[in-house]
Amino acid sequence: MDYKHLLADRTQRMSASAIREILKVVSLPGMISLAGGIPAPESFPMEIIDQLTRTVLKKYGSSAFQYDLTEGFMPLRKALVTHLSKKGVCTEAERITISSGSQGALDGIGKLLISKRDKVAVEAPTYLGALQAFNPYEPDYVRMDTDDDGLIPESLDDVLSHNDIKFVYLVPTFQNPTGRTLPLARRKQVADILHKHQALLFEDDPYGDLRFSGNELPTIQSLAPEHVIYAGTLSKIFAPGLRIGYLVAPKFISHWLVLSKQGVDLHTSTFNQALAAEYLEGGYLQTHLPKIIELYRPRQQAMLKALEQYFPKEFHWAHPEGGMFIWVEGPKGFNLENAYKKAVSRNVAFVPGRYFYSHPDEGLETMRLNFTMFDEETLAQAIKTLGEVLKEELA
Amino acid sequence: MDYKHLLADRTQRMSASAIREILKVVSLPGMISLAGGIPAPESFPMEIIDQLTRTVLKKYGSSAFQYDLTEGFMPLRKALVTHLSKKGVCTEAERITISSGSQGALDGIGKLLISKRDKVAVEAPTYLGALQAFNPYEPDYVRMDTDDDGLIPESLDDVLSHNDIKFVYLVPTFQNPTGRTLPLARRKQVADILHKHQALLFEDDPYGDLRFSGNELPTIQSLAPEHVIYAGTLSKIFAPGLRIGYLVAPKFISHWLVLSKQGVDLHTSTFNQALAAEYLEGGYLQTHLPKIIELYRPRQQAMLKALEQYFPKEFHWAHPEGGMFIWVEGPKGFNLENAYKKAVSRNVAFVPGRYFYSHPDEGLETMRLNFTMFDEETLAQAIKTLGEVLKEELA
């Protein structure tokens, strides 16, 4: 039987994540892969999880395994109110919708807001997973300029002035792929611009808790709550396999989100939400998060030190105060394609930065390096190899 | 800020599930609700689950909490191959996609296949959750006739002859809402008709394992594998709160399903999939399923007996050999609207059958009664009250 003619129009916009395809290639034995974007398994609080499963079974019994509200498990939503208030996000449990991971939050908003050919404003470069979530709803993307401090507010203002934008998508803290963080002054500017244009922002904040140094910055949500849908996740600070994300949205949006989610997955796993509720409520996150930071900080430092030592002087990179990535830019006109192949042949992998741009010719000289998955020595070794490859390619 | 103009066109097709709205009303204390469609919490294998959490933590450690393949956790997919082979569904692990509950399977197929105004053939009455999943993709529904034996094959043939149908949606075993089961002869006819028209069927089978009497029937998938997407779930035989469903589809469809799911939720909870894998692999389902059956069978018998005893002779109902529902039909022209209100005022609730029809004037005389949530005595009492109400309304 021929199935091809049965596919919906939108499926032509679905494509395998380039990163996931790359990850398949680089999962070969012996490969040091800086291509991933996943937390180190040794960062998971396994002993705490063991205890939490017993607590949940005892405290909630069969109700942790029954169908539950589409909006989310109430004890988790209440615990998140407290967690979020520490991050300056002031909300109430009724305004929080639990999603099946960050990806579920991205799909939920895309499904709710994007009609075919609607315009969505995105940073260049931007998070690939967001494009993958939005693509099936067939938007057109409008590109916003960035520099080492992230989104350039004037570019946002310009884009909103000249386009009918459904919503703006932004990862303002330790962005994926660049690791960049929008400074306070720009956050205030962005809030003002949103207000001026009566525009809606999707503030995606999966990495904000992973801060190694410097001071926490207010979320844009806290500066313009009526103009922001804020998304967070427990994937980086608890365990990604549990698929727990959440959205804080204006009441009108939350109402529709629930209707949308009813059709998509009815609700997110009750058991996993109960585990997450106990993790937050029991104060475990507070004791465990510093351990995650202490695991990642020296890894990041080791990578930065090795970059200094081994990378050609034509390359430059930022020094992010947290997150999971370092973004490296080569000289303009340089194409990392060959270097990528050569590096893989020497058992070191990364993601060429061009995959994070919506336009195919941008970012050919850029690369995303992940530092969470290997110890300091291995990271230094990998950067040394990469540096050698780059020097050969430059020569 | 005004958000209404930001909604996508498709959101006008999203609406709160009538049943969920009814469930809210009827969750008042003292209410005996036959309106639900959920498993009894005492059917959950809590002691086994307690053991499984320890087994999974020991066996898989942190990998049960890490990101995993979008397709699904391989040990679960392998365990499902064995489970499915016992049900006559012959497949391989690579053809199975794990979904976030049955709802995730419905959304996945809807998203993949339905373009706006595409035609989807559905039974009258049909499962509401399917319509909720498909609606946002804006299909037109084409109605197929049913009788006490479920779908009338001639109606399917007729619909496929006169319409360009994207796919046919069917719950052939212990259907929701009617509890009806398609007999073997009709299954063979359906398979032939699918083949004749080179059509695709979505065979949704959430209740097939809940058989109290009679012989298991082959799935339509086993009769026409190239024409069927088969969906199952562990919600009724393990625990719904874990949100584990699955799809068996032709290879071409499976490939696209994975791309679609990447954007929707990346993957289903690894931990819950590992629990499900151990539940199947360890032979726990085999020992536990008879206990679920033994819990529900007497409840169904009690309801049937009470219907015989207390319902007016103008009403008739089927005697399903399994599932979770009994479907009752009153005399033509009778409208259950008033009876519903009166019943609720006497603390007994049910779902008026009209909600399961796509046309607003159909099924006014019908009702869906669930028997899984209460003990025999309570069910008999509820049916007695309902019978009194119906007699008053008929008078």
Side-chain angles (χ1 to χ4, degrees):
Chain A
M1 177 174 168
D2 172 47
Y3 307 97
K4 198 158 182 284
H5 70 286
L6 296 177
L7 294 176
D9 301 335
R10 77 180 64 80
T11 55
Q12 47 182 295
R13 290 285 295 265
M14 297 177 194
S15 62
S17 157
I19 292 189
R20 283 179 82 91
E21 294 309 305
I22 284 176
L23 288 177
K24 277 185 191 169
V25 177
V26 302
S27 62
L28 301 167
M31 185 72 71
I32 305 171
S33 172
L34 313 178
I38 69 179
E42 63 267 34
S43 77
F44 304 164
M46 294 311 297
E47 279 176 31
I48 293 172
I49 287 173
D50 184 65
Q51 196 178 321
L52 292 175
T53 57
R54 289 155 208 246
T55 306
V56 165
L57 282 164
K58 201 171 162 188
K59 185 169 172 181
Y60 295 107
S62 59
S63 66
F65 296 86
Q66 184 58 285
Y67 286 115
D68 197 55
L69 291 180
T70 302
E71 292 85 335
F73 189 62
M74 195 39 106
L76 174 58
R77 293 158 78 204
K78 285 185 178 160
L80 279 169
V81 171
T82 313
H83 172 66
L84 285 165
S85 72
K86 290 178 198 146
K87 295 156 65 79
V89 177
C90 178
T91 189
E92 48 200 359
E94 287 68 26
R95 290 262 296 273
I96 298 175
T97 311
I98 304 299
S99 59
S100 298
S102 275
Q103 197 68 38
L106 291 161
D107 175 66
I109 293 299
K111 188 167 192 176
L112 200 59
L113 302 181
I114 304 172
S115 288
K116 190 174 180 170
R117 313 281 342 236
D118 275 353
K119 289 179 181 172
V120 175
V122 297
E123 294 164 279
T126 190
Y127 173 51
L128 260 184
L131 301 185
Q132 263 191 292
F134 302 153
N135 280 345
Y137 304 112
E138 303 176 271
D140 288 340
Y141 295 110
V142 181
R143 181 193 177 291
M144 300 182 293
D145 290 325
T146 63
D147 61 16
D148 287 350
D149 281 337
L151 173 70
I152 300 170
E154 290 71 21
S155 178
L156 171 65
D157 193 19
D158 186 60
V159 161
L160 289 173
S161 298
H162 296 97
N163 299 278
D164 195 6
I165 298 288
K166 260 298 168 82
F167 64 91
V168 178
Y169 174 73
L170 215 57
V171 185
T173 309
F174 311 138
Q175 197 229 24
N176 181 355
T178 64
R180 291 166 182 162
T181 293
L182 206 63
L184 179 59
R186 286 199 180 178
R187 288 173 189 244
K188 288 179 177 166
Q189 279 178 279
V190 168
D192 288 344
I193 295 166
L194 292 172
H195 189 75
K196 172 180 151 192
H197 293 279
Q198 289 293 296
L200 188 66
L201 169 69
F202 185 155
E203 179 177 20
D204 194 4
D205 188 19
Y207 309 107
D209 292 304
L210 297 181
R211 176 172 283 279
F212 314 147
S213 62
N215 293 320
E216 202 163 334
L217 292 168
T219 61
I220 302 173
Q221 197 274 352
S222 68
L223 303 173
E226 289 310 304
H227 296 281
V228 178
I229 298 167
Y230 176 88
T233 174
L234 297 185
S235 289
K236 313 300 187 263
I237 57 175
F238 187 27
L242 295 174
R243 314 303 301 124
I244 306 287
Y246 55 89
L247 284 159
V248 179
K251 201 174 166 186
F252 180 90
I253 304 281
S254 295
H255 165 78
W256 283 97
L257 258 177
V258 172
L259 296 184
S260 169
K261 187 174 168 64
Q262 265 189 28
V264 174
D265 63 10
L266 211 54
H267 66 85
T268 297
S269 163
T270 322
F271 184 37
N272 295 1
Q273 289 188 76
L275 292 172
E278 289 302 309
Y279 183 64
L280 296 179
E281 234 176 58
Y284 297 103
L285 171 64
Q286 270 168 292
T287 59
H288 186 69
L289 183 56
K291 294 180 187 169
I292 302 178
I293 304 285
E294 285 316 313
L295 180 72
Y296 291 159
R297 187 195 281 120
R299 293 184 176 187
Q300 190 208 37
Q301 282 167 349
M303 183 176 273
L304 286 168
K305 194 179 152 201
L307 284 167
E308 209 66 59
Q309 197 170 351
Y310 301 115
F311 261 40
K313 62 180 186 321
E314 292 85 350
F315 282 71
H316 84 275
W317 50 89
H319 292 65
E321 294 181 329
M324 298 173 65
F325 306 106
I326 293 175
W327 180 252
V328 179
E329 297 181 329
K332 282 283 166 207
F334 186 72
N335 186 335
L336 272 160
E337 187 73 19
N338 275 330
Y340 174 73
K341 286 179 193 158
K342 204 181 249 189
V344 167
S345 77
R346 296 188 197 170
N347 282 341
V348 178
F350 60 90
V351 184
R354 67 184 176 88
Y355 291 114
F356 302 98
Y357 290 87
S358 41
H359 292 264
D361 291 341
E362 274 195 284
L364 297 177
E365 76 287 6
T366 63
M367 60 206 289
R368 189 191 76 173
L369 305 177
N370 164 261
F371 53 78
T372 57
M373 287 294 282
F374 294 95
D375 62 34
E376 292 86 316
E377 204 178 334
T378 310
L379 288 170
Q381 185 54 49
I383 295 298
K384 187 175 175 221
T385 303
L386 269 186
E388 286 163 7
V389 168
L390 294 175
K391 282 172 187 164
E392 289 169 28
E393 288 297 308
L394 274 180
Chain B
M1 177 173 168
D2 173 46
Y3 306 97
K4 196 157 183 285
H5 69 287
L6 296 177
L7 295 176
D9 301 336
R10 77 181 64 80
T11 54
Q12 49 181 295
R13 291 285 295 265
M14 297 177 193
S15 62
S17 156
I19 290 188
R20 284 180 80 91
E21 294 307 306
I22 284 176
L23 287 177
K24 277 185 190 171
V25 177
V26 302
S27 62
L28 301 168
M31 184 73 68
I32 305 172
S33 171
L34 313 178
I38 68 179
E42 63 267 34
S43 77
F44 303 163
M46 294 310 297
E47 279 175 31
I48 293 172
I49 288 174
D50 184 66
Q51 197 178 320
L52 292 175
T53 58
R54 288 154 209 246
T55 307
V56 165
L57 281 165
K58 203 171 161 189
K59 185 168 173 182
Y60 295 107
S62 60
S63 67
F65 296 86
Q66 185 57 286
Y67 287 114
D68 197 55
L69 291 180
T70 301
E71 292 85 337
F73 189 61
M74 195 38 105
L76 174 58
R77 293 157 77 205
K78 285 185 177 159
L80 280 169
V81 170
T82 314
H83 172 64
L84 286 165
S85 72
K86 290 178 197 146
K87 295 157 65 80
V89 177
C90 179
T91 188
E92 48 201 358
E94 288 68 26
R95 290 262 297 272
I96 298 175
T97 310
I98 304 299
S99 60
S100 298
S102 276
Q103 196 69 38
L106 291 161
D107 175 65
I109 293 300
K111 188 168 191 176
L112 200 59
L113 302 181
I114 304 172
S115 289
K116 189 174 179 170
R117 314 279 343 235
D118 275 353
K119 288 179 181 172
V120 175
V122 297
E123 295 163 278
T126 189
Y127 173 51
L128 260 186
L131 301 185
Q132 263 192 293
F134 301 153
N135 280 345
Y137 304 112
E138 305 176 87
D140 288 340
Y141 295 108
V142 181
R143 180 192 178 292
M144 300 181 294
D145 290 325
T146 63
D147 61 17
D148 287 351
D149 282 336
L151 173 71
I152 300 170
E154 289 72 19
S155 177
L156 170 65
D157 194 18
D158 185 60
V159 161
L160 289 173
S161 298
H162 296 96
N163 298 278
D164 194 5
I165 297 287
K166 260 296 167 84
F167 63 92
V168 178
Y169 174 74
L170 215 57
V171 185
T173 309
F174 311 138
Q175 197 229 24
N176 181 356
T178 64
R180 292 165 182 162
T181 293
L182 207 63
L184 179 58
R186 286 198 180 179
R187 287 172 190 245
K188 288 178 177 167
Q189 280 177 278
V190 167
D192 288 344
I193 295 166
L194 292 172
H195 189 75
K196 172 180 153 193
H197 294 279
Q198 289 293 296
L200 188 66
L201 169 70
F202 186 155
E203 179 178 19
D204 194 4
D205 188 20
Y207 309 107
D209 291 304
L210 297 181
R211 177 172 281 281
F212 313 147
S213 62
N215 294 321
E216 202 163 335
L217 292 167
T219 61
I220 302 172
Q221 197 274 352
S222 69
L223 303 172
E226 290 309 304
H227 296 279
V228 178
I229 298 167
Y230 176 87
T233 174
L234 297 184
S235 289
K236 313 299 187 264
I237 58 176
F238 188 26
L242 296 174
R243 314 304 300 125
I244 306 288
Y246 55 89
L247 284 159
V248 179
K251 202 173 164 188
F252 180 90
I253 303 281
S254 295
H255 165 79
W256 282 98
L257 258 177
V258 172
L259 296 184
S260 168
K261 186 173 168 67
Q262 265 190 30
V264 174
D265 62 11
L266 211 52
H267 66 86
T268 297
S269 163
T270 321
F271 184 36
N272 295 0
Q273 289 189 76
L275 292 172
E278 290 301 309
Y279 182 63
L280 295 179
E281 235 177 58
Y284 297 103
L285 172 63
Q286 271 167 291
T287 59
H288 186 69
L289 183 55
K291 293 181 188 169
I292 302 179
I293 305 284
E294 285 316 313
L295 180 71
Y296 291 159
R297 187 196 280 119
R299 292 182 177 188
Q300 190 209 36
Q301 283 168 348
M303 184 177 272
L304 287 168
K305 194 179 152 201
L307 284 167
E308 209 65 61
Q309 195 169 353
Y310 300 116
F311 261 41
K313 61 177 189 322
E314 291 86 348
F315 283 71
H316 86 275
W317 51 90
H319 292 63
E321 293 181 329
M324 298 173 66
F325 306 106
I326 293 175
W327 181 252
V328 179
E329 297 180 329
K332 283 282 167 206
F334 186 72
N335 186 337
L336 272 160
E337 188 73 19
N338 275 331
Y340 174 72
K341 286 179 194 159
K342 204 181 249 189
V344 167
S345 76
R346 295 187 199 172
N347 281 341
V348 178
F350 61 89
V351 184
R354 66 185 177 86
Y355 291 114
F356 301 98
Y357 290 87
S358 42
H359 293 264
D361 291 341
E362 273 195 284
L364 297 176
E365 76 286 7
T366 63
M367 60 208 288
R368 188 191 77 173
L369 304 176
N370 165 261
F371 54 78
T372 58
M373 287 294 282
F374 294 95
D375 62 34
E376 292 86 316
E377 202 178 335
T378 310
L379 288 170
Q381 185 53 50
I383 295 298
K384 186 174 176 221
T385 304
L386 269 185
E388 286 163 8
V389 168
L390 293 176
K391 281 172 188 163
E392 289 169 28
E393 288 297 308
L394 274 180

